Amino acid sequence: MKKIIGLAALLVLVGLYFFSGEEKEVQDLGLESKKDTQVVKKRDHSHDHGKTENKTVEKAVIKKPNQEKAIVPPFKPANKNEESLEKLSTTFAEVFENKKDSKSLRDTLRDLNLRPTVNVDSNPYTGTMNIVRTKDSLPGTRYVHAQFVADENGKETLQHLSFEYRPGPQALQRATLAIKSNFKIKGEPVHSKGDFISYKLDEHYIIWLKRMGKEDLKDDPFNAYTKNDDGTIRVAIELEIHGDETDTQVFPDDN
């Protein structure tokens, strides 16, 4: 009888050992499965000490839009004329950003094969002004004009820098896009009315674009126009010294 009881007890112990080992193996397999899913867990500590709770947290990845590109879209030239518009816009932006003097500007224009010239206008009352023009032009553009005022030490300050872009459908809109892109203008225009739009570049300078009408082109003292030039776009950087006035303060040269 004692042998039967002992044998039965032994069978019970073996059974318990077998099932507990199987349960542990199942639990281990479950842990390996959780590792493969790479679930992010956050341990929650409650005020009931000794108890912790694991919570699965799903982190949503929010992609922020590139605000700079949304505000200042890149300008992509669609033809030869717009390639010229891009080149001059880039050149003007470099002159302004790097505070280039008239010599550096002429070097840049020479690289574009525009054959720049310089005239010096000097008198004891207004000081010295170096005026840069070009003998050649890029397709669709013309009349590059720059004015630098020099002090008694010869140090120059940019007063005016402009060029003109040929008239055509959407010419003002495309020129504005090129300027905003290359000058990285993010703010709203200071003035925007009809055929005129202007932006503040910094505390001293503005840049403006204007679709020139017949009255604007009439009797110009230094540029030649015909009736076919109605709608020409003028782009200009100016030292802001005239308040809300928008007329250019350029001087004729003797070229």
Side-chain angles (χ1 to χ4, degrees), residues 53-67:
E53 182 179 0
N54 289 332
K55 293 183 178 180
T56 301
V57 178
E58 294 183 0
K59 294 184 177 180
V61 178
I62 302 175
K63 294 183 178 180
K64 296 182 179 180
N66 191 323
Q67 295 181 355

Side-chain angles (χ1 to χ4, degrees), residues 71-73 175-187 199:
I71 298 173
V72 189
T176 300
L177 179 58
I179 291 300
K180 291 184 66 177
S181 176
N182 287 294
F183 281 83
K184 297 179 175 58
I185 298 173
K186 300 178 183 179
Y199 297 91

Side-chain angles (χ1 to χ4, degrees), residues 66-91:
N66 191 323
Q67 295 181 355
E68 183 173 340
K69 287 187 178 180
I71 298 173
V72 189
F75 180 73
K76 298 180 179 180
N79 50 52
K80 291 290 185 181
N81 294 333
E82 290 194 354
E83 287 177 6
S84 302
L85 177 62
E86 169 75 1
K87 288 178 181 178
L88 285 184
S89 299
T90 301
T91 297

Side-chain angles (χ1 to χ4, degrees), residues 233-251:
I233 309 301
R234 179 173 291 172
V235 180
I237 300 172
E238 286 190 328
L239 193 61
E240 192 175 22
I241 57 177
H242 307 294
D244 292 332
E245 295 179 13
T246 58
D247 293 337
T248 58
Q249 303 295 318
V250 296
F251 293 78

Side-chain angles (χ1 to χ4, degrees), residues 99-117:
K99 295 180 172 57
K100 290 186 176 181
D101 57 15
S102 62
K103 182 181 183 304
S104 297
L105 173 60
R106 293 199 308 274
D107 290 340
T108 301
L109 295 175
R110 197 172 289 112
D111 291 339
L112 295 175
N113 298 317
L114 295 183
R115 294 199 298 160
T117 63

